Amino acid sequence: MSDDRLGREAHHETSNLSLALDQNLAHHQAASDRDLATASGSSHGSTPALHNAPTASPKYAASPATQPEVTYPEGGLQAWLVVLGSFSGMLAAFGLMNTIGTFQAYLITHQLADTPPSTVGWIFSLYVFLAFGCGLQIGPIFDRKGPRWLVFAGSVCLVVEYWHFLLTFSILGGVGTSLIFTPAVGAIAHFFSRRRGAATGIAATGGSFGGIIFPLALQSLFPRLGFAWSARLLGLLFFIILAIANLLIRTRLPPKVGGTVQPDFRILRDVTFSLTTAGVFFIEWGLFVPLSYISSYALANGVSMGFSYQLLAVLNAGSVFGRAIPGYVADRLGRFNTMIGAVALCLISVLGIWLNVGGSIAGLCVFGVLFGFASGSNISLTPVCVGQLCEPEVFGRWYGTCYTIVSIGYVVHPSPSYFHNHAKA
């Protein structure tokens, strides 16, 4: 009996082992059949399997049409030519914006000397409002149609408006600036992700260089040629610069399927985006005052007209580094972290220096360099902060919506007459 029991147990174990081997062989045979079927399907035009797709995940299994991950060149000739084109566009668009302090100071002492400064200020407030506010519609058009006709139309506005400056600066200048800078910033997002902060910062330095070149040029041209011909020569220079922008700014990624050119405020349901937009609103609201009235402030405190114009160039010289360096740092320490640090430095420079310098030339220079460096980051870091919250195919819509809301601050900021009269007092 003992021998029979041992024999039955040995037979039972042998059967279990044989069954396990058969199951294992069947499993491998099925896997081999699937591989052959996949290879056969690929050779006959069927859609091949994506090697990087996580096939074990039910989420991906339920969505066979999942799009492959978007990749970015992060450099190369074409990408850096786009950066050069964006630099040229911002050299004209933001160079003009960074020169409004010079125009403000000139107009209130010449053509509009009998006009209250508060009234003169509306010319520039409306200009900046349109420059940023038109992005609500320009952004979605950029996403769907690309930058070509937008940049061209903006170039026409900026060149033509100089021939009738007093009548059309606010409208044509504002719309033209918006038509240029929204595609100039958005195009970079199609070529860079990991290095987007550095690339945007390099392109944004164009506005700072414009803020150095144009005020100094106007300071020299106004006494020699008068206002009209000075503005016309500046328009000719813009024509050359914007020709480069028109040739080089382009996109790479296709438009999002199902997208439209209509504005869509539903994106504000994204809490992070809404808070970011609110933060940028208050940043720009505060930065507009020193950037617009620093020259008028210096004049009212007894500083010579020549140095008042040069002071704006000093401020923009600081912003050259303030746009390039924070963008590089942001790619390593975080875009929002760097933005917060730059805003804190703006606060320190205004409260700690500007409010105490009066007519001191040395103090105004120190303030100009420090505030220029700190405030320069708002143009270079805001796009990459917004771009971190959305896909590149809809970047124009998100960025344009953000700055449309921000633009409201430019028509509700404190009256320029307050700063002008306070400086005199």
Side-chain angles (χ1 to χ4, degrees):
M1 294 294 295
S2 176
D3 293 337
D4 292 338
R5 187 174 70 254
L6 292 175
R8 285 194 300 272
E9 290 176 357
H11 178 71
H12 180 69
E13 290 176 1
T14 302
S15 300
N16 290 340
L17 179 61
S18 176
L19 179 61
L21 289 173
D22 291 340
Q23 290 174 346
N24 193 29
L25 289 173
H27 174 74
H28 284 288
Q29 182 63 37
S32 177
D33 292 341
R34 285 195 301 270
D35 292 340
L36 289 173
T38 301
S40 176
S42 300
S43 64
H44 287 83
S46 301
T47 302
L50 295 175
H51 295 290
N52 295 327
T55 55
S57 171
K59 176 182 177 181
Y60 284 87
S63 181
T66 301
Q67 297 290 331
E69 183 180 357
V70 177
T71 60
Y72 299 86
E74 302 291 354
L77 178 61
Q78 185 177 8
W80 288 113
L81 285 176
V82 170
V83 173
L84 176 60
S86 297
F87 173 92
S88 301
M90 294 189 201
L91 176 62
F94 284 118
L96 172 62
M97 186 177 294
N98 289 334
T99 311
I100 61 177
T102 300
F103 285 117
Q104 169 94 358
Y106 184 86
L107 291 175
I108 63 176
T109 56
H110 290 80
Q111 285 94 331
L112 302 180
D114 296 329
T115 305
S118 59
T119 304
V120 178
W122 276 106
I123 297 175
F124 304 99
S125 296
L126 180 59
Y127 158 74
V128 180
F129 169 75
L130 291 174
F132 289 126
C134 292
L136 178 67
Q137 183 61 71
I138 294 172
I141 294 176
F142 165 77
D143 290 334
R144 293 294 298 170
K145 305 297 183 181
R148 182 66 58 231
W149 290 106
L150 295 174
V151 177
F152 176 78
S155 302
V156 172
C157 289
L158 284 191
V159 173
V160 171
E161 59 97 3
Y162 276 102
W163 292 91
H164 307 283
F165 180 84
L166 292 177
L167 296 177
T168 60
F169 177 86
S170 299
I171 298 176
L172 284 182
V175 174
T177 297
S178 187
L179 285 165
I180 292 170
F181 95 83
T182 302
V185 171
I188 295 175
H190 283 239
F191 291 87
F192 295 88
S193 177
R194 180 175 51 84
R195 303 172 65 186
R196 187 177 298 169
T200 305
I202 292 172
T205 59
S208 299
F209 281 113
I212 298 171
I213 298 170
F214 301 148
L216 295 179
L218 291 175
Q219 178 191 358
S220 176
L221 292 173
F222 279 155
R224 299 179 182 179
L225 303 178
F227 184 86
W229 277 104
S230 298
R232 289 165 184 164
L233 287 178
L234 201 59
L236 177 61
L237 180 60
F238 275 18
F239 176 81
I240 298 172
I241 295 171
L242 291 171
I244 300 174
N246 278 269
L247 291 174
L248 298 182
I249 296 177
R250 65 186 62 194
T251 55
R252 184 181 64 92
L253 300 174
K256 187 175 182 179
V257 178
T260 68
V261 298
Q262 301 300 321
D264 186 3
F265 281 103
R266 290 178 297 177
I267 60 178
L268 292 171
R269 295 175 182 174
D270 187 302
V271 177
T272 305
F273 175 66
S274 296
L275 292 176
T276 300
T277 300
V280 175
F281 174 90
F282 287 109
I283 291 172
E284 294 284 355
W285 198 23
L287 296 183
F288 183 72
V289 174
L291 292 174
S292 299
Y293 305 121
I294 186 64
S295 294
S296 300
Y297 175 89
L299 283 172
N301 277 277
V303 178
S304 67
M305 181 176 293
F307 181 77
S308 297
Y309 293 153
Q310 294 170 4
L311 186 59
L312 196 61
V314 170
L315 191 149
N316 282 289
S319 72
V320 171
F321 301 97
R323 296 188 180 189
I325 296 176
Y328 178 83
V329 173
D331 290 335
R332 287 152 179 79
L333 300 184
R335 281 79 184 260
F336 285 91
N337 295 335
T338 308
M339 187 76 158
I340 292 172
V343 172
L345 188 57
C346 283
L347 181 64
I348 293 172
S349 65
V350 171
L351 297 182
I353 302 177
W354 194 26
L355 294 183
N356 301 300
V357 298
S360 170
I361 293 180
L364 287 172
C365 286
V366 171
F367 168 74
V369 172
L370 185 60
F371 182 81
F373 177 85
S375 63
S377 63
N378 72 306
I379 293 297
S380 61
L381 291 183
T382 299
V384 294
C385 287
V386 172
Q388 195 167 313
L389 307 178
C390 66
E391 300 173 351
E393 295 88 347
V394 294
F395 173 82
R397 179 184 300 276
W398 285 57
Y399 184 65
T401 301
C402 172
Y403 262 100
T404 295
I405 295 174
V406 168
S407 67
I408 299 173
Y410 294 111
V411 293
V412 297
H413 64 78
S415 168
S417 61
Y418 169 81
F419 300 101
H420 189 75
N421 294 333
H422 178 72
K424 285 185 175 181

